[in-house]
Amino acid sequence: MIQFGAKGAVASDLTKKVRYDKGFFDDSKKDEREMRKSLEAPGRVISLPKAAYMQGRWAGEGLPEGKSWVRKRPIPAEPEGIIISVFEPSTVKALIARADSVRGGVVKGSTTSAKMAALSPVFRKQYGPGGKSESGQISKITYAFSLSKEGLVTRLRVTMRMPVPGGGIVDHVSDTRLYNWGAKVSVAAPRADQVIDEKDLKR
C-alpha cells in the first residue's frame, strides 16, 4: 500500500519477501544453508515521513516481549530492489518509448545497467552512477510492462543479468504488481505499545 502526495509517494506499508534460486543453497554447508534460508523470511515495513517501522526479518532479533516493531530513521516510501521504479514517470515513459514490442497491453524491451544509471535516479542510488557490477562489467536488463486500458502500469517484471567475479552470472529478478490506482489510502504507524526504538534495543 502506497500513499501519494503532491510530489509522489509520501508513505507506504509494504510486505517484503526475497527468494533465491535453489543453487544459492546447494553449494553451502548445513549451518550456512540455514543462515541463507533465513534471508527469505518475510518482513513488513511501514514508511512515514518522520520514521520507519520494521517487523519480522527487517526488525532483527532480540526484541523484548510484547514488542513486534522497531522504529528507525525515515526511509523512502518507494519499494527497494525493484531495478526499475514505476514511480519515476519519466523513466517509465522513456523505457516504453524504446520498447522492442507492444502486444496485448504488454510492452517488452531491453536496456543496459549503464543506460539505466544515466536515466534513473533510483537506479543510480541502488547500483551506482556507472551501473557496473563488482567486476566492473555492464549488466543486461530486460523488462515487461503490463498496462491497463487507461495506460496505468499493473505489473512490471524485470531481469538484470549481472556478471560477478569469477566469470559467473547472477540473475536479479523483480516482479512488481500494482492494484487500485487512485484509491484513497492512509498509512498509519503501528500501535505505540508494540513499538521499540532502535536505540533502545540490546544487541
Side-chain angles (χ1 to χ4, degrees):
M1 179 167 62
I2 299 177
Q3 180 179 341
F4 289 89
K7 296 183 179 180
V10 295
S12 61
D13 185 343
L14 304 171
T15 297
K16 299 183 178 183
K17 181 175 176 60
V18 178
R19 292 183 180 177
Y20 294 93
D21 184 85
K22 184 175 180 293
F24 181 69
F25 306 105
D26 289 344
D27 64 351
S28 57
K29 297 180 180 179
K30 182 179 179 181
D31 290 347
E32 184 181 6
R33 189 180 304 121
E34 291 177 356
M35 183 279 291
R36 290 184 174 186
K37 279 288 186 182
S38 70
L39 299 177
E40 292 192 322
R44 186 176 167 193
V45 179
I46 294 177
S47 175
L48 296 170
K50 294 184 178 180
Y53 300 85
M54 311 286 184
Q55 187 183 59
R57 175 196 165 189
W58 309 103
E61 300 178 352
L63 271 66
E65 185 176 352
K67 304 294 184 182
S68 56
W69 293 89
V70 176
R71 179 167 43 227
K72 301 186 179 185
R73 291 179 298 177
I75 61 172
E78 298 91 342
E80 293 182 328
I82 55 176
I83 308 176
I84 295 174
S85 174
V86 295
F87 306 109
E88 288 183 330
S90 60
T91 298
V92 172
K93 184 177 179 180
L95 292 174
I96 289 177
R98 301 172 188 175
D100 300 320
S101 69
V102 180
R103 181 179 299 175
V106 178
V107 179
K108 295 182 179 181
S110 62
T111 185
T112 68
S113 55
K115 291 179 180 178
M116 277 301 302
L119 179 65
S120 166
V122 168
F123 190 92
R124 286 196 297 273
K125 185 175 181 179
Q126 293 189 100
Y127 300 101
K132 294 183 178 180
S133 68
E134 292 182 6
S135 58
Q137 299 182 64
I138 301 299
S139 304
K140 181 180 179 181
I141 297 173
T142 56
Y143 56 89
F145 289 93
S146 296
L147 306 177
S148 68
K149 293 179 180 180
E150 295 76 25
L152 297 171
V153 179
T154 56
R155 184 178 183 182
L156 170 57
R157 183 173 174 84
V158 186
T159 299
M160 181 163 66
R161 307 212 74 193
M162 304 172 63
V164 295
I169 296 289
V170 171
D171 281 348
H172 179 184
V173 180
S174 69
D175 192 348
T176 306
R177 304 182 188 220
L178 302 107
Y179 307 89
N180 299 326
W181 282 100
K184 188 175 181 179
V185 170
S186 180
V187 178
R191 282 173 37 187
D193 62 345
Q194 297 179 349
V195 176
I196 184 171
D197 279 312
E198 184 178 29
K199 63 181 177 59
D200 295 328
L201 285 174
K202 296 180 180 180
R203 299 298 191 187

